[in-house]
Amino acid sequence: MVRWEPETRERLREAALDLYLANGYDDTTVTQIAQSVGVTERTFFRHFSDKREVIFGGSDLLQQEFSSGVAEAPEGSPLDMVAHAVLGSSYFPEERRPWSRRRQALITSHPELKERELNKMATLAGVLAQALRARGITEPAATLAAESGVTVFRLAFEEWVADGSTRTLAEIERGLFAALRGL
């Protein structure tokens, strides 16, 4: 086994997604993932707590980015602050779209992963609501704006990863925020 190679974490992520899509999530083991890139299980566990984290790792960074976006937003309505945070996110650059498409296909095909994704969205809404409350926004406005913003983010992401989609995530989000404001 190779003791160390650069970008091991990324190679493990790629290999895991390839194996999950080829063999099924449930039928892929950590051992198979590690062996496919020439490392040990121990190395895998240095990078990820379990095989789900390969596709869900980084959620904390997105939460932090959204929270900071609300904190830095100019004064305005709660929805405007959330829109500032969502639109200001750089977490999903265009070069991540192919991997994100494959990841979404996996999540859509597996009930346990769908549930995990829904929990991630709920946590993200909670983080946004807390950031709004820290800015002095009271309930129910904080939760309504946060939940609405996460809905916009989720719908935009689904469109962004759809086959044939060419618009940027931010373009899609702007359109959906405009539609929401028009309701």
Side-chain angles (χ1 to χ4, degrees), residues 1-2 8 11-12 31 33-41 43-44:
M1 292 281 162
V2 175
T8 300
R11 290 184 311 114
L12 285 164
T31 301
I33 297 166
Q35 286 177 346
S36 73
V37 297
V39 299
T40 64
E41 276 186 65
T43 299
F44 176 92

Side-chain angles (χ1 to χ4, degrees), residues 13 15-26 28-30 33 44 50-55 106 109 113:
R13 285 180 71 231
L17 188 56
D18 288 344
L19 289 167
Y20 294 159
L21 290 169
N23 304 332
Y25 175 79
D26 291 328
T28 301
T29 66
V30 168
I33 297 166
F44 176 92
D50 60 35
K51 70 182 200 174
R52 283 177 308 198
E53 285 307 307
V54 173
I55 55 174
L106 174 67
S109 71
L113 299 177

Side-chain angles (χ1 to χ4, degrees), residues 113-129:
L113 299 177
K114 276 186 194 177
E115 182 179 348
R116 176 74 183 264
E117 184 77 350
L118 288 172
N119 285 335
K120 184 177 106 176
M121 291 297 133
T123 300
L124 192 55
V127 165
L128 283 168

